[in-house]
Amino acid sequence: MTLPTLHNTGVLYRRILSQFPQDFSLAFAYGSGVFKQHGTNQGQMEKNMLDFVFAVDDPVTWHTMNLLQNRKHYSILKLLGPTKISSIQNDHGASVYYNTLVPVDGKIIKYGVISTQSLIDDLLHWRTMYVAGRLHKPVKMLLQNENGKLRAALVANLKSAVTASFLMMPESFSEEDLFLQIAGLSYAGDFRMVIGEDKSKVANIVTDNIQHFRILYSNILRDCPQVVYKSLQGKLEVDKSPEGQFDQLMALPRTLQQRITKLVDPPGKNRDVEEILLQVAQDPDCGAVVQQGISSIVKSSSITQSIKGIATAGLWKTVSYSSKKLIKMWKGSRTKPSVSQMS
């Protein structure tokens, strides 16, 4: 199966990408500057910062070239050189190195650099869910090379998002309810949702982008043996039997299985993962346990990546970026969508 992507290689994106070393295995744009969100108009959208993620096979070489081309993008950490920058990228937080509030071609952008191997690891195993979570939602794929492992991991990540969401849903639900659940996975446990993010962010992402979510997920839903997908009515029915839930739990990414095991298994018992998941599958609170497991992954990575972001952005940019987020959160709290908009 080929991952469905929302191709947009318009002049703006091509011009921005041309400012960087071209050794990408994957490049995509995401966020409120790329996709319209509920409650924003075209004028506001055009003022929003554009967010990018660049996956590269060799971060040391890429940062070496980028420091020559775009030295001003980096904080004082540029003095440490490309090897140390790559080490900070790979060994701390969510294995992403962000440069933020960067002026490029008349726009303000933020771009994160991640190694191809770290990206594949996150997509397959949800080690941090940091970039994997962004890819649960519609993104604009700008460049993608022929790396077969990466292509397979991108599809596996979407399937995992569906499986985890099924476990947290009732037996019958709407397409929109599912997409709200999927979009919310990477915000569960994120401390920035308490302070720094608009509380209605998930609903805002989904409400005006239902068709984009369908493009991403319709083939996966049609091919899934555990769900009845009535695409014309936008309704779904999922197998909630203990056997069905056990199959879903066994298909979850490895890190999430480990977090669930840690939550359920008393210290010192050291039971087999399969035995523990069989117990969880029969628990009426199965969905809540899965939710807790996801929250524990997201919480730790969001905190460590944000701490790292202070160093990679520099203090002034961190203060500026954070204040913009707080203003956005305050505005969002004054214009919360109604229940009918969210359901």
Side-chain angles (χ1 to χ4, degrees):
M1 174 186 167
T2 305
L3 179 71
T5 56
L6 300 167
H7 290 285
N8 187 323
T9 49
V11 173
L12 170 65
Y13 294 102
R14 288 205 303 272
R15 285 177 66 94
I16 289 172
L17 286 184
S18 71
Q19 307 290 315
F20 295 95
Q22 294 301 294
D23 298 340
F24 304 120
S25 59
L26 184 77
F28 66 86
Y30 67 96
S32 59
V34 180
F35 288 95
K36 185 179 182 300
Q37 294 187 4
H38 190 71
T40 61
N41 57 41
Q42 193 63 35
Q44 290 169 315
M45 236 185 108
E46 288 173 4
K47 291 177 186 173
N48 285 343
M49 183 164 62
L50 292 175
D51 297 326
F52 295 85
V53 167
F54 304 147
V56 300
D57 290 341
D58 183 350
V60 175
T61 300
W62 196 90
H63 283 295
T64 300
M65 295 164 69
N66 200 42
L67 281 163
L68 290 171
Q69 286 180 231
N70 299 304
R71 193 170 179 82
K72 288 182 179 177
H73 294 184
Y74 291 81
S75 70
I76 197 169
L77 295 184
K78 60 178 168 272
L79 301 176
L80 299 176
T83 303
K84 189 62 181 174
I85 285 172
S86 299
S87 174
I88 292 166
Q89 173 188 309
N90 292 324
D91 300 339
H92 302 281
S95 299
V96 191
Y97 189 101
Y98 270 102
N99 285 325
T100 191
L101 295 176
V102 174
V104 177
D105 211 61
K107 289 282 187 178
I108 299 298
I109 75 164
K110 175 178 79 174
Y111 64 94
V113 184
I114 185 169
S115 77
T116 306
Q117 190 51 54
S118 292
L119 175 57
I120 290 172
D121 188 45
D122 198 32
L123 292 169
L124 290 178
H125 306 303
W126 287 8
R127 189 176 65 80
T128 68
M129 277 185 73
Y130 201 84
V131 179
R134 277 151 183 73
L135 286 162
H136 292 159
K137 298 172 275 290
V139 302
K140 289 200 186 298
M141 285 289 178
L142 306 173
L143 282 172
Q144 188 176 348
N145 70 11
E146 295 303 312
N147 184 321
K149 284 185 179 177
L150 178 54
R151 286 178 180 272
L154 286 162
V155 176
N157 180 50
L158 296 180
K159 288 181 177 178
S160 294
V162 168
T163 302
S165 296
F166 281 171
L167 285 159
M168 292 183 278
M169 301 295 285
E171 192 170 354
S172 302
F173 46 91
S174 70
E175 243 182 357
E176 186 169 357
D177 288 337
L178 176 63
F179 297 151
L180 284 165
Q181 185 70 62
I182 289 171
L185 291 176
S186 61
Y187 297 115
D190 189 336
F191 82 99
R192 293 169 302 174
M193 293 301 286
V194 179
I195 181 165
E197 290 286 6
D198 181 354
K199 301 297 184 299
S200 51
K201 181 166 186 160
V202 174
N204 291 346
I205 290 169
V206 174
T207 303
D208 286 354
N209 292 292
I210 293 286
Q211 191 53 41
H212 291 148
F213 276 91
R214 282 196 191 113
I215 292 168
L216 270 185
Y217 288 104
S218 59
N219 286 343
I220 289 170
L221 293 172
R222 270 195 290 267
D223 294 342
C224 180
Q226 293 180 321
V227 70
V228 177
Y229 179 35
K230 303 172 184 175
S231 55
L232 293 178
Q233 297 104 306
K235 300 290 184 186
L236 300 98
E237 294 170 11
V238 71
D239 183 359
K240 299 301 285 185
S241 69
E243 295 80 12
Q245 294 199 139
F246 177 66
D247 288 344
Q248 291 159 19
L249 288 163
M250 289 298 289
L252 291 175
R254 185 177 64 206
T255 305
L256 180 52
Q257 289 181 339
Q258 290 168 346
R259 295 298 179 108
I260 291 169
T261 300
K262 195 173 178 183
L263 284 166
V264 174
D265 203 31
K269 254 201 163 184
N270 297 323
R271 288 185 296 163
D272 184 71
V273 171
E274 197 170 327
E275 184 187 342
I276 294 163
L277 295 182
L278 186 59
Q279 176 193 323
V280 175
Q282 299 170 68
D283 189 332
D285 294 325
C286 174
V289 175
V290 173
Q291 177 86 32
Q292 278 182 275
I294 291 171
S295 295
S296 70
I297 296 171
V298 173
K299 183 178 182 181
S300 56
S301 66
S302 69
I303 291 171
T304 54
Q305 183 65 31
S306 293
I307 291 167
K308 183 167 99 173
I310 296 170
T312 61
L315 187 58
W316 169 246
K317 282 188 177 181
T318 300
V319 171
S320 177
Y321 180 66
S322 300
S323 64
K324 286 185 172 105
K325 285 280 188 183
L326 287 167
I327 290 167
K328 201 171 176 182
M329 180 184 78
W330 178 71
K331 285 180 178 175
S333 69
R334 297 175 68 208
T335 55
K336 282 185 180 176
S338 67
V339 172
S340 63
Q341 288 173 321
M342 293 181 67
S343 61

